[in-house]
Amino acid sequence: MPGPRATQNSRLATDQEAPVEAGSTSERESERRRRSTTESFVERLRVASFWTAIVLPIAYLPILAIGSDGTRTGLFVALLAVHLVALYAGHAHELER
């Protein structure tokens, strides 16, 4: 039969282990929140890219209507590059029906 000192030592060991487990739970919770925040950010970026890819072609019309010179050609190529990036980033967005 363990004496009072052994019981006290086992309580101390248990008390010392409890914060470690609580810390692990807290770490898991913070990791879950961080992952949720990251997923939320990625989804918002995907939605913004999708709608940018939808709306951006409207900007082509004035550039094409005015004609081309060196500046407008560069602007057109830049818009085309942004459009391609938006298409790539937003292609996985699914509209809810």
Side-chain angles (χ1 to χ4, degrees):
M1 176 172 176
R5 187 162 186 98
T7 305
Q8 184 181 13
N9 287 340
S10 69
R11 282 188 202 144
L12 288 175
T14 304
D15 291 343
Q16 290 173 356
E17 291 173 5
V20 173
E21 291 175 11
S24 297
T25 303
S26 177
E27 289 172 7
R28 283 184 285 214
E29 182 66 25
S30 66
E31 176 66 22
R32 187 188 62 78
R33 282 188 204 139
R34 187 187 61 77
R35 188 175 300 130
S36 175
T37 302
T38 303
E39 290 171 359
S40 176
F41 174 75
V42 168
E43 182 58 29
R44 288 179 183 170
L45 184 64
R46 189 174 292 142
V47 169
S49 296
F50 174 82
W51 286 108
T52 299
I54 296 294
V55 175
L56 197 59
I58 295 171
Y60 295 148
L61 297 175
I63 294 172
L64 293 173
I66 293 172
S68 68
D69 63 4
T71 306
R72 291 190 191 104
T73 302
L75 180 61
F76 181 77
V77 170
L79 277 174
L80 188 60
V82 169
H83 193 188
L84 290 174
V85 169
L87 282 170
Y88 180 75
H91 80 281
H93 173 64
E94 297 179 15
L95 292 175
E96 295 178 17
R97 293 182 185 214

